[in-house]
Structure formats: structure tokens, C-alpha cells
Amino acid sequence: MKYMASVKQNTTIREYQNFVKEVYGLPNDRYFSLWDMVSNVERFMMRGLKGIRKNDKEKTKINLLIAFSWFMSIMNQLHIDIESQIWKRFPYLCSYCGLCSCFCKEKNIKERQSISVDENKRPKTLEGFQNMFNKIYPAEKRTIEHAGVHLAEEAGEFSEALLIYRGGHKDEDFENLELEAADFFSCIMSVFNSLGMSVAKELSTTFSDNCHLCKNVPCTCNFKDITDFKF
Ligand SMILES: [Zn+2]
Ligand SMILES: [Zn+2]
């Protein structure tokens, strides 16, 4: 029987990151630089935003799932354990006002508040993290367009942080890059919360059997397939 890699609905963030490594690590290393991968994150994210403008939930969903997977490829290449970074940045609290749910706007918070972490609250699964983000930043307190603009903003900050780190190779810039990665992740969760969809469930459908296009592990899509591919 052929070996199968898949994302389960109860996947942890770490397991999903490892799935991406198993299926896409080889072609990523051979074909793509970090900048190529950043372009793919942005390219599919923008298609997802177009889905928001056109009120096409399916278009938004599939494109953001692919953008999210390219993002995980970047995490793998940079050896960032994104699950730990997310928990460090969002320990069931807003990273800025330190509250759940967030009161940044209402209280007009002007500087980052110090926060104490309760390890018992740490979610175990990707779905648990998505639910946590909905508690911190409830979908009903914003529009999906707002969530989409925030996602685009964080993608820009992530690229900027990567550019700065690659320019100077300083440890503090790498730490900033890790924070920006956690922020980008949180915004992906927020858009799915606004869509009323579970990221883990949708990933488990799209990635039920290796690469979603060629169905192989490692993925054998050729460079042209990947660059021509669009939803
Ligand atoms: Zn806040
Ligand atoms: Zn493939």
C-alpha cells in the first residue's frame, strides 16, 4: 500500500507544520528561495482577499489554505516552531492590552501591557487555537473585510521583518520576525473565524492524501504546475 501523509481534523499546529515539511520540504528546497515562498504566500493571500471582495467564501477559503501552507513552508525553512511562538505572543490574551476579549479599542490602550501566562489554558490542537483567537478577537466585533485588511497588513509586516533580518542577520531581528509570524498566523485564524469555518477541518479535507494536486509524498508537482496553479 502506498504511504499517505494527511492532516487530521484534530491536528496540532506542530503536526500540520510537519505534514508540510514531509510533503513539500523536498520541492521547496530544490525550487524555491525564501522570497519565492513569500511571493506565493502573498499571491494566494491576495486571491483569498479577492474572494472577500466578491463575497465568494469558497475562493477565500481555498486560497487562504494554500497561502497558509506556503507560510508553514517558510516556518520550516527558517526552523521556527510557530506553535510556541503563537503561545508566547497570545497566551489566551490579546498581546497588546493583555485582556480576553481584547479591549484595545474601547480602552484606547497606547502601549503594550505586561501579561502573565496561565499554562493550563494552552490549547492542544489547531482547532483549539482557532477557538482561542475567536475568544480574544470575537468575529462579531468586526467585519470580514476588516479581518482581511488586517491580514494583508500583517503579511506586509512579516515580509518587512524578513527583509530586515536577511539584511543584518541580527538575533533581535530574528525574534521580531518570529513575533510577526505569530501575528500573521493570528490573522489567518481571524479570517476563518469571520468565515465561520474551521481551518483544521478544511485542511483535513484539502490535505487528506498527500499533496492536494499530485497526490504524492513528497510532492512531485513540477515548477510550472506550481507557478501556473490558481483557484
Ligand atoms: Zn487588545
Ligand atoms: Zn504536488
Side-chain angles (χ1 to χ4, degrees):
M1 216 179 71
K2 140 179 162 196
Y3 172 73
M4 244 179 56
S6 62
V7 179
K8 302 280 181 285
Q9 202 176 324
N10 64 356
T11 186
T12 64
I13 296 172
R14 206 162 277 151
E15 284 165 347
Y16 169 52
Q17 184 171 356
N18 285 331
F19 166 88
V20 172
K21 188 188 208 165
E22 221 184 336
V23 178
Y24 297 109
L26 186 150
N28 285 343
D29 286 348
R30 288 189 183 165
Y31 300 156
F32 298 108
S33 70
L34 267 175
W35 304 118
D36 295 332
M37 293 196 278
V38 170
S39 299
N40 276 307
V41 169
E42 292 181 350
R43 169 181 169 225
F44 287 103
M45 181 192 73
M46 292 308 170
R47 291 185 167 276
L49 296 184
K50 184 173 178 180
I52 293 179
R53 183 169 64 83
K54 300 257 182 197
N55 201 16
D56 182 343
K57 284 190 168 193
E58 282 303 303
K59 187 180 175 80
T60 300
K61 177 194 82 181
I62 189 70
N63 282 291
L64 290 190
L65 291 182
I66 306 302
F68 190 40
S69 299
W70 278 109
F71 171 75
M72 281 300 188
S73 290
I74 298 175
M75 295 298 100
N76 283 328
Q77 187 140 335
L78 293 170
H79 296 263
I80 293 176
D81 172 16
I82 189 63
E83 182 172 324
S84 320
Q85 295 303 323
I86 294 158
W87 180 243
K88 218 159 95 186
R89 183 79 155 162
F90 302 99
Y92 232 105
L93 300 167
C94 168
S95 62
Y96 206 78
C97 65
L99 297 168
C100 181
S101 61
C102 163
F103 263 82
C104 283
K105 224 192 205 159
E106 292 85 341
K107 294 198 172 176
N108 196 16
I109 308 277
K110 290 275 195 293
E111 59 190 83
R112 201 170 279 281
Q113 305 294 304
S114 66
I115 47 184
S116 62
V117 181
D118 179 357
E119 282 299 329
N120 295 321
K121 287 190 160 177
R122 182 171 174 152
K124 291 187 174 51
T125 61
L126 171 57
E127 183 133 307
F129 273 95
Q130 183 179 351
N131 293 337
M132 172 187 86
F133 280 111
N134 206 29
K135 291 265 164 49
I136 309 175
Y137 306 111
E140 61 271 17
K141 283 176 81 175
R142 57 159 190 270
T143 63
I144 190 167
E145 287 80 4
H146 184 277
V149 170
H150 195 186
L151 174 65
E153 199 182 306
E154 292 301 339
E157 289 179 14
F158 176 76
S159 323
E160 198 172 83
L162 184 56
L163 202 58
I164 291 169
Y165 173 66
R166 298 287 276 197
H169 297 186
K170 291 190 190 132
D171 288 347
E172 68 259 37
D173 292 337
F174 193 77
E175 282 165 27
N176 186 44
L177 179 63
E178 289 174 318
L179 296 179
E180 294 299 346
D183 286 353
F184 178 80
F185 184 102
S186 79
C187 283
I188 290 272
M189 296 299 116
S190 287
V191 174
F192 275 87
N193 282 328
S194 288
L195 287 167
M197 289 179 185
S198 154
V199 178
K201 181 163 176 275
E202 299 303 336
L203 283 173
S204 73
T205 309
T206 302
F207 294 107
S208 59
D209 180 6
N210 306 330
C211 169
H212 66 116
L213 289 178
C214 65
K215 300 290 175 193
N216 291 319
V217 54
C219 158
T220 55
C221 292
N222 68 38
F223 187 79
K224 196 168 176 345
D225 289 340
I226 300 167
T227 51
D228 284 356
F229 174 72
K230 40 179 89 95
F231 286 108

